[in-house]
Structures are given as C-alpha cells and as structure tokens.
C-alpha cells in the first residue's frame, strides 16, 4: 500500500499525533524509549517512542520522501534520524565535541559495571573531573564553564542528556546521559579524536567499538564535531 492509503487508516487523533511526532523527530533527532522525568522524579516511558514503534513503516516511508532514514536500536531504546545523502551536516563547536567525548567515555565505563542500565547519572562536579582526567581542559582553551554549559544545553535539546536537578548555568547540577550518546558521533571519529589527544598509534586499545553518527537539529540536519581543536587541525570530520 501507499503512504497515503496507510495514513488514511489512522484515526483523527493518530494523524495529529503523527504530525506532532514527526516534528519532534526533526527537532530533537533522537527519541529515547525511557528517560528521567523531572516533574515526577522517575523514569518515564516515552509515548512518542511507543507511537513510532507501532507505526514504524509509516514514519519510515514519510521521512524517506525527505531523504531521511529512520533507525531504531532496540537494545539501547533509541530511535533516530540520519540523512541519506549526508547533506546539510552541521558542525558543532570544539567544546561540544570534547564534552560528547567525555560523556561517552564516562557512559561506557558506567555501563560496563551495570549492563542492564541504559541511563547513567552524572553531576557537574563529576563532569569537570572527567574533563580534567582526560586532559581535555588543557587540550582546548575554549573549554570553559560557559562553553560547557552551552554544550550541555545543546545536547539536552537533542535528547542526548536529560537534565536532573538544577540548571546547566548553575555552579552545580545533575543530569542523565541517555543511550543516544552512542549515536551522536561515529566511533571511528571518536577513536580518531582519542588518537589525536593521546598520540596513540594504531587501533589497539581504542575505547570505542562500532557505532553511527546521526544527530540532527530542528531542520533534520546531521550534527558533526567541530572543524578543529586549539592544538591545530583535528582529524577529518572534527
């Protein structure tokens, strides 16, 4: 059947929900199955995720007309978009790149200790310590409290992290790293950044396995890493 025929089978309420959910996908790029809800203080199952799951082929067909591919990772509980032709990719700044790198390292470390957990709690003090331990605060002069706060706001808007207590502008705050952190930047690019920062040669001991890169902004554009670091040109894609 065609998209129009399948769409016509939806109820009026479902059609409205379809429109709203497409907007959510294009605006946030990632929809996670479960994340922390600040209102209730508990994890909450996403209605958008469940709705997309029930009508996945319908969303897939519709977004396909826009040159977008809809992907779903059941193990991580993440649905996300990527551009088929790799067009309109948006470069995020150096600070956001380094923050994503630190969050991903921390996330993988915590998940290895509790494989059944998908969200990882963290606070601003732990984030600052992680950035310092990884040598990122000395690697880039652009990594300040203000630029980190800005990076965190951007990542929250893409459903890569979820704010817990406090604001990202506060001296102290808490948040949750969502499983979508694994899909923001490809593991190849993260490993390239790892080699660049550590001076490591070859692939042995690289911290990241296989992965994808596909975040998007409000127009469905892919998010990549910054073009360069403060130490000079970074590997291709950063």
């Amino acid at each position: 059947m065609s998209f129009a025929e399948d769409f016509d089978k939806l109820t009026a309420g479902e059609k409205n929900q379809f429109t709203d959910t497409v907007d959510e996908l294009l605006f946030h790029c990632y929809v996670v199955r479960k994340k922390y809800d600040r209102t209730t203080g508990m994890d909450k199952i996403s209605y958008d995720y469940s709705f997309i799951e029930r009508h996945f082929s319908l969303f897939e067909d519709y977004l396909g007309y826009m040159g977008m591919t809809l992907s779903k990772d059941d193990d991580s509980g993440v649905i996300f978009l990527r551009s088929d032709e790799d067009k309109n990719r948006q470069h995020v700044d150096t600070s956001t790149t380094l923050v994503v790198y630190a969050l991903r390292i921390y996330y993988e470390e915590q998940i290895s200790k509790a494989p059944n957990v998908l969200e990882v709690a963290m606070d601003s003090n732990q984030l600052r310590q992680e950035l310092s331990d990884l040598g990122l605060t000395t690697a880039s002069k652009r990594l300040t409290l203000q630029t980190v706060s800005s990076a965190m706001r951007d990542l929250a808007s893409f459903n890569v992290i979820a704010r817990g207590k406090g604001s990202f502008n506060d001296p102290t705050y808490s948040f949750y790293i969502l499983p979508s952190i694994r899909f923001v930047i490809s593991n190849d690019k993260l490993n390239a950044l790892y080699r660049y920062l550590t001076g490591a040669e070859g692939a042995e001991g690289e911290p990241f396995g296989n992965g994808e890169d596909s975040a998007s902004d409000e127009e469905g554009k892919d998010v990549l890493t910054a073009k360069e670091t403060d130490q000079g040109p970074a590997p291709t894609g950063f």
Side-chain angles (χ1 to χ4, degrees):
M1 290 188 181
S2 67
F3 168 81
E5 290 174 318
D6 288 337
F7 184 78
D8 196 50
K9 293 180 179 179
L10 299 179
T11 65
E14 288 174 330
K15 289 177 181 177
N16 289 333
Q17 181 63 37
F18 181 88
T19 301
D20 291 343
T21 307
V22 167
D23 286 344
E24 285 291 305
L25 271 169
L26 293 176
F27 187 81
H28 298 294
C29 181
Y30 297 106
V31 175
V32 294
R33 183 167 52 214
K34 183 177 67 172
K35 73 175 183 178
Y36 177 78
D37 180 65
R38 289 189 297 115
T39 303
T40 62
M42 300 172 63
D43 283 341
K44 185 177 180 181
I45 299 295
S46 167
Y47 180 77
D48 286 339
Y49 187 97
S50 300
F51 185 78
I52 296 170
E53 208 171 28
R54 289 198 305 273
H55 304 285
F56 192 84
S57 61
L58 195 62
F59 281 93
E60 199 173 31
D61 289 346
Y62 181 80
L63 292 163
Y65 289 119
M66 303 172 61
M68 305 293 291
T69 294
L70 184 65
S71 299
K72 179 162 66 79
D73 188 292
D74 290 322
D75 292 336
S76 298
V78 180
I79 293 173
F80 58 94
L81 289 174
R82 66 172 180 266
S83 171
D84 289 344
E85 298 184 7
D86 246 11
K87 292 183 177 179
N88 299 321
R89 298 177 73 83
Q90 176 183 336
H91 291 271
V92 297
D93 59 23
T94 301
S95 297
T96 305
T97 299
L98 299 179
V99 168
V100 168
Y101 178 81
L103 293 177
R104 179 70 185 278
I105 289 281
Y106 188 85
Y107 182 86
E108 297 297 346
E109 288 174 348
Q110 299 306 309
I111 290 297
S112 68
K113 301 173 186 176
N116 294 327
V117 174
L118 292 179
E119 294 179 339
V120 170
M122 196 177 192
D123 60 37
S124 53
N125 291 326
Q126 290 171 315
L127 175 58
R128 285 192 288 270
Q129 187 63 51
E130 187 75 7
L131 292 169
S132 177
D133 289 347
L134 293 172
L136 302 180
T137 51
T138 55
S140 174
K141 296 177 182 178
R142 300 176 190 176
L143 208 55
T144 66
L145 290 175
Q146 289 74 26
T147 58
V148 169
S149 295
S150 176
M152 296 296 281
R153 288 193 297 272
D154 287 344
L155 294 173
S157 73
F158 288 123
N159 283 331
V160 175
I161 60 174
R163 184 159 58 92
K165 294 182 179 179
S167 163
F168 292 127
N169 291 322
D170 294 339
T172 59
Y173 53 83
S174 65
F175 59 95
Y176 291 85
I177 310 172
L178 305 178
S180 43
I181 189 70
R182 287 179 158 173
F183 304 93
V184 177
I185 300 173
S186 72
N187 293 333
D188 284 345
K189 291 173 182 174
L190 286 176
N191 282 324
L193 179 55
Y194 168 78
R195 292 192 299 271
Y196 177 75
L197 292 169
T198 63
E201 295 183 2
E204 289 188 12
E206 290 183 344
F208 305 103
N210 295 323
E212 312 228 12
D213 57 344
S214 55
S216 73
D217 64 9
E218 65 270 19
E219 295 179 3
K221 300 176 183 177
D222 286 352
V223 171
L224 280 179
T225 49
K227 297 179 181 178
E228 60 181 23
T229 71
D230 295 300
Q231 292 183 344
T236 302
F238 290 98

